[in-house]
Amino acid sequence: MDSADVIVVGAGVVGLAVARELALRGREVLILEAAGRFGTGASSRNSEVIHAGIYYPRGSLKARLCVAGRERLYEFCRERAIAHRRCGKLIVAATEGELPELTRLAAAARANGVELALLGPAEARALEPQLACAAALHSPLSGILDAHAYMQALLAEAESRGATLVCGSAVTRLVLGGEAVLIGVNGAEPALRARTLVNCAGLQAPAVARLMQGFPPAHIPRACFAKGSYFALNTRAPFERLIYPLPDAGGLGIHLTLDLAGRARFGPDVQWVESCDYSVDASRAAAFYAAIRRYWPALKDGALQPAYAGVRPKLSGPGEPAADFRIDDARTHGVPPVVNLFGIESPGLTASLAIASEVAARS
């Protein structure tokens, strides 16, 4: 039986960051990825936004790791010439009735150590002339990056320290054996032994945890899948910054994001689903037009075209308060060789380097 010090399940952005951090600390790391290449799930189907740390409850893992991870991510990109831009973001109240929520959001951000400037409508239009709003919060710390190039850099650094990525290797059996975990892939009997297993399987993390024979089921959350579709703008957007409405149930609202070439896309919306489906229903465009025109009334008919969709691995369902990240180690579930990462949705990309340090400290 082959053995490894650490096996990381999942080669999305968080799994790659965890593998790199553990390899940098001298651990022998094997990464198992079910897909044919790294980063094909949620990590490649998001807005590629670097978040400031605005939305999350004070003291939560999301708040702490987003704020810590943000500056580390900017530094990582600068040092390795990974394309990124600190373009800033405006969060808008479309009507005066939304002003109290904008004020609450500013207070929540301040509690997380993130200062936002409150702008009146004229000040907001001075920054973005086509923006319509009653007021806006300006976040100069928000930005965008090339997520694929970032993942490539994480993998390259992990491999330079001896980590190995094996794609096309779906974990299908896990047996807890005292101080180790036995792992079977692609339906075979267990042929791998790991002293530590880090479950970074994203959408499938609860399903991977349920494979563990002898693992306490009370510590495996239900998976809630929130599909989000994106529509691209078929002309150049007249905005230089990210434009966000106030958050809505299940997400941050249908917002404008820019790629590094200046192309604009809008999304994601929220559609609760039972399984992963990455098709984009063109009929959802009607709701997009209505949402976008609340802050950009000049959007023309026919300007949107279906782009792509992603699915967020949530731990809370429709109508429930948003759940925090979960990083469960032996102190949580009593199984020393296992660290489970559950509900690592947004701001997981921004927080990835800080998440990796947190996992390494618990492994």
Side-chain angles (χ1 to χ4, degrees):
M1 180 173 290
D2 293 329
S3 63
D5 180 16
V6 182
I7 287 182
V8 175
V9 180
V13 65
V14 172
L16 293 173
V18 167
R20 169 188 172 271
E21 182 66 28
L22 292 170
L24 289 175
R25 297 188 184 206
R27 306 287 294 272
E28 177 197 12
V29 180
L30 175 65
I31 313 163
L32 299 178
E33 168 57 47
R37 61 186 188 276
F38 67 86
T40 61
S43 299
S44 62
R45 296 176 172 275
N46 55 50
S47 300
E48 295 186 299
V49 169
I50 301 175
H51 288 285
I54 296 167
Y55 302 96
Y56 320 110
R58 181 180 182 181
S60 65
L61 281 176
K62 285 184 176 180
R64 179 166 64 83
L65 298 177
C66 181
V67 170
R70 178 195 70 220
E71 291 309 311
R72 290 181 61 182
L73 182 53
Y74 276 126
E75 181 181 13
F76 188 97
C77 290
R78 283 194 303 269
E79 291 180 348
R80 293 155 182 82
I82 296 169
H84 69 289
R85 186 164 77 249
R86 197 182 298 230
C87 57
K89 174 169 74 174
L90 292 174
I91 306 170
V92 302
T95 66
E96 290 191 1
E98 293 180 343
L99 293 178
E101 179 61 17
L102 199 70
T103 302
R104 187 205 65 77
L105 197 59
R110 193 176 306 114
N112 292 337
V114 180
E115 290 294 335
L116 304 176
L118 179 62
L119 307 179
E123 294 172 300
R125 282 194 298 272
L127 295 179
E128 299 290 358
Q130 293 215 25
L131 183 66
C133 66
L137 294 172
H138 180 218
S139 167
L141 297 174
S142 303
I144 53 176
L145 82 161
D146 182 336
H148 184 74
Y150 172 50
M151 288 190 285
Q152 284 182 312
L154 291 172
L155 177 59
E157 293 189 14
E159 290 179 332
S160 73
R161 294 301 185 99
T164 300
L165 169 64
V166 183
C167 293
S169 298
V171 172
T172 51
R173 189 171 178 195
L174 293 167
V175 179
L176 300 176
E179 297 301 312
V181 181
L182 308 181
I183 301 105
V185 301
N186 299 332
E189 289 297 310
L192 295 170
R193 182 182 186 276
R195 190 170 69 85
T196 301
L197 179 82
V198 184
N199 176 8
C200 295
L203 290 161
Q204 302 305 320
V208 168
R210 285 193 293 272
L211 292 173
M212 299 181 197
Q213 297 179 19
F215 191 84
H219 292 286
I220 304 174
R222 63 170 180 155
C224 299
F225 295 160
K227 178 179 177 179
S229 295
Y230 291 82
F231 283 76
L233 187 67
N234 61 16
T235 59
R236 190 169 182 87
F239 297 99
E240 296 182 359
R241 295 163 185 82
L242 311 177
I243 308 296
Y244 277 58
L246 290 170
D248 58 17
L252 300 181
I254 293 175
H255 48 266
L256 162 70
T257 61
L258 303 167
D259 67 16
L260 291 159
R263 294 181 295 262
R265 56 186 180 269
F266 294 90
D269 58 357
V270 178
Q271 180 183 5
W272 296 98
V273 295
E274 294 298 321
S275 60
C276 293
D277 170 17
Y278 294 128
S279 63
V280 178
D281 180 358
S283 70
R284 300 185 75 81
F288 274 69
Y289 281 105
I292 296 163
R293 284 171 174 154
R294 297 189 74 234
Y295 55 82
W296 184 26
L299 175 65
K300 295 181 179 179
D301 287 340
L304 300 180
Q305 56 191 30
Y308 61 93
V311 178
R312 283 157 281 176
K314 291 183 171 290
L315 300 180
S316 50
E320 298 175 351
D324 198 6
F325 291 159
R326 277 180 54 176
I327 302 175
D328 293 0
D329 59 11
R331 292 173 296 180
T332 302
H333 50 60
V335 184
V338 175
V339 181
N340 282 319
L341 279 68
F342 296 128
I344 310 296
E345 51 159 339
S346 180
L349 173 61
T350 303
S352 53
L353 293 171
I355 292 172
S357 294
E358 185 83 12
V359 171
R362 301 183 185 203
S363 305

